[in-house]
């Protein structure tokens, strides 16, 4: 069971303050967004002794905090049978402390593998910040292998505003050319969430943005002459809007984009954003299309089948600039 101190940190008020229903509702909104507890019923008010003080009672329902999904099979590629599959494991709220560990592995074809491991330490050293560590390795087709380590500080303000700062180091080895690159990166993220439900919203909107700066050190043999960059800046923005037509029918709209906005050299394949798969350009193979810049829009009518379930149709619209030198865009 979740330790009370973890829930107390989500409260927008403190003992002794004047009664404020707005702060109580904000507290329940923040509790509802915790991955392993839900609000079981509206809050209660109870008298405290014979004075003017009150108890605020939040009715909490514990939820499963360990999640697993996976798939595996054989795919025939160029007359060869290849094992493909994915495994996603998350141990959340370890011993009721809010700590979490996750492992994700994905092999989408013979030439591509992804593996990531993460650990979350909530309210690190008694602060207001969550601290997360990540290790990852990506083998993207036959283009490059990227190994990375990163750490992020995340915090949540009131009224749905949240932010994060990430620092990371990467090692990139091209598979088609000789050489090696190391990258130091800093990334900032902000999100403003004003939806009514965290996983299956019916009304409200979400605005999220990110900006990153990278410095590369490129080590190439004398026989290889590539105009690789040493400094890159990128930024992205995404907006989602949820319109409740009826109790069960919701129209979800989304639009966003990302791009490299400054570079002092020819941007290589390992710095591009790869679109495709279930989360962004659905109907196409996962991480199929490299993008130097892209715009993506979605129209998604939903029928809600429960608090955590829905059936939906979708239209994804995308325009992709494949490289900084390309004279045309892909449109989907």
């Amino acid at each position: 069971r979740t330790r009370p101190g973890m829930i107390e940190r989500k409260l927008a008020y403190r003992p002794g303050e004047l009664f404020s229903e707005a702060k109580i509702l904000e507290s329940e909104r923040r509790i509802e967004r915790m991955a392993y507890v839900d609000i079981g019923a509206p809050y209660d008010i109870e008298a405290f002794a014979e004075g003017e003080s009150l108890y605020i009672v939040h009715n909490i329902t514990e939820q499963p905090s360990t999640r697993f999904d996976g798939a595996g099979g054989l795919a025939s590629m160029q007359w060869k049978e290849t094992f493909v599959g994915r495994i996603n494991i998350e141990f959340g709220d370890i011993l009721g402390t809010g700590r979490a560990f996750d492992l994700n592995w994905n092999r989408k074809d013979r030439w591509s593998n992804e593996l990531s491991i993460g650990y979350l330490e909530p309210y690190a050293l008694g602060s207001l910040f969550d601290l997360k560590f990540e290790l990852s390795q990506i083998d993207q087709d036959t283009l490059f292998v990227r190994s990375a380590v990163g750490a992020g500080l995340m915090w949540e303000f009131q009224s749905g505003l949240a932010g994060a700062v990430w620092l990371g180091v990467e090692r990139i080895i091209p598979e088609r050319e000789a050489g090696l690159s190391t990258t130091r990166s800093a990334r900032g993220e902000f999100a403003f969430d004003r939806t009514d439900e965290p996983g299956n919203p019916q009304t409200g909107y979400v605005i999220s943005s990110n900006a990153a700066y990278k410095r590369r050190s490129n080590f190439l043999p004398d026989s290889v002459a590539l105009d690789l960059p040493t400094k890159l800046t990128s930024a992205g923005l995404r907006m989602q809007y949820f319109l409740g037509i009826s109790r069960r029918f919701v129209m979800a709209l989304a639009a966003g984009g990302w791009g490299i906005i400054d570079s002092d050299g020819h941007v290589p394949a390992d710095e591009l954003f790869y679109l495709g798969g279930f989360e962004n350009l659905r109907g196409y193979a996962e991480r199929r299309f490299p993008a130097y810049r892209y715009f993506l829009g979605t129209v998604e009518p939903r029928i809600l089948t429960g608090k955590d379930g829905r059936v939906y149709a979708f239209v994804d619209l995308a325009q992709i600039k494949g490289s900084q030198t390309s004279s045309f865009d892909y449109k989907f």
Side-chain angles (χ1 to χ4, degrees):
R1 296 183 61 83
T2 303
R3 296 181 182 180
M6 297 302 301
I7 299 174
E8 289 173 7
R9 287 179 175 268
K10 294 295 182 180
L11 302 182
Y13 60 88
R14 291 294 177 264
E17 290 186 11
L18 292 177
F19 179 85
S20 170
E21 186 175 21
K23 287 188 176 181
I24 295 174
L25 294 177
E26 170 65 15
S27 300
E28 297 210 330
R29 188 194 68 83
R30 294 166 68 176
I31 293 172
E32 189 72 26
R33 278 162 170 72
M34 298 174 73
Y36 39 82
V37 297
D38 281 338
I39 297 295
Y43 69 91
D44 296 322
I45 299 177
E46 297 181 2
F48 177 74
E50 297 180 356
E52 297 181 351
S53 297
L54 303 170
Y55 278 127
I56 306 300
V57 181
H58 295 284
N59 300 292
I60 305 299
T61 301
E62 297 279 346
Q63 298 295 326
S65 59
T66 299
R67 297 176 174 86
F68 167 82
D69 72 78
L74 293 175
S76 180
M77 300 176 184
Q78 296 182 355
W79 308 105
K80 293 183 179 180
E81 296 294 330
T82 301
F83 177 79
V84 296
R86 62 187 299 135
I87 296 175
N88 298 314
I89 303 173
E90 180 182 358
F91 299 97
D93 197 24
I94 299 172
L95 299 178
T97 62
R99 295 180 173 91
F101 170 82
D102 62 85
L103 182 148
N104 301 281
W105 171 79
N106 183 21
R107 178 178 173 87
K108 68 185 183 72
D109 56 44
R110 189 192 319 153
W111 305 281
S112 301
N113 271 292
E114 299 180 28
L115 176 65
S116 66
I117 299 172
Y119 172 75
L120 175 69
E121 178 67 26
Y123 310 116
L125 301 176
S127 69
L128 298 176
F129 302 96
D130 294 343
L131 177 62
K132 186 167 186 179
F133 298 97
E134 286 187 343
L135 296 171
S136 65
Q137 180 169 292
I138 297 176
D139 187 347
Q140 178 64 36
D141 296 328
T142 56
L143 299 176
F144 61 87
V145 176
R146 175 194 286 128
S147 302
V149 58
L153 280 178
M154 300 171 286
W155 64 95
E156 181 180 4
F157 304 99
Q158 295 185 17
S159 303
L161 181 62
V165 175
W166 288 86
L167 300 176
V169 177
E170 300 176 355
R171 182 174 182 264
I172 303 105
I173 301 177
E175 295 191 29
R176 293 180 176 177
E177 300 96 4
L180 166 69
S181 297
T182 60
T183 300
R184 287 84 66 200
S185 64
R187 185 173 83 251
E189 300 176 352
F190 283 93
F192 188 59
D193 188 336
R194 297 302 295 172
T195 55
D196 56 344
E197 294 285 345
N200 212 16
Q202 299 182 43
T203 60
Y205 60 91
V206 181
I207 301 174
S208 57
S209 62
N210 65 82
Y213 176 76
K214 291 186 175 182
R215 290 189 64 92
R216 289 174 61 110
S217 298
N218 304 304
F219 306 96
L220 303 173
D222 295 337
S223 58
V224 178
L226 296 176
D227 181 27
L228 294 178
T230 60
K231 301 176 183 177
L232 294 104
T233 304
S234 62
L237 176 68
R238 176 174 170 81
M239 295 175 288
Q240 297 172 276
Y241 180 72
F242 302 93
L243 176 62
I245 306 298
S246 66
R247 189 170 66 91
R248 291 292 184 184
F249 183 60
V250 175
M251 181 64 72
L253 306 173
W258 174 91
I260 297 175
I261 57 179
D262 185 58
S263 171
D264 62 352
H266 183 73
V267 177
D270 56 85
E271 295 289 358
L272 303 180
F273 190 97
Y274 285 81
L275 290 165
F278 190 74
E279 292 187 355
N280 45 47
L281 198 56
R282 293 167 286 187
Y284 293 94
E286 190 170 3
R287 292 172 57 86
R288 176 178 177 182
F289 302 103
Y292 175 76
R293 291 175 185 164
Y294 75 86
F295 169 82
L296 180 65
T298 297
V299 179
E300 187 177 295
R302 300 176 175 181
I303 298 176
L304 305 185
T305 59
K307 181 179 180 181
D308 300 314
R310 61 179 178 262
V311 177
Y312 58 92
F314 67 86
V315 176
D316 284 349
L317 307 170
Q319 181 166 314
I320 300 174
K321 182 177 176 64
S323 72
Q324 65 199 102
T325 58
S326 62
S327 58
F328 65 94
D329 296 327
Y330 297 99
K331 295 182 179 180
F332 300 89

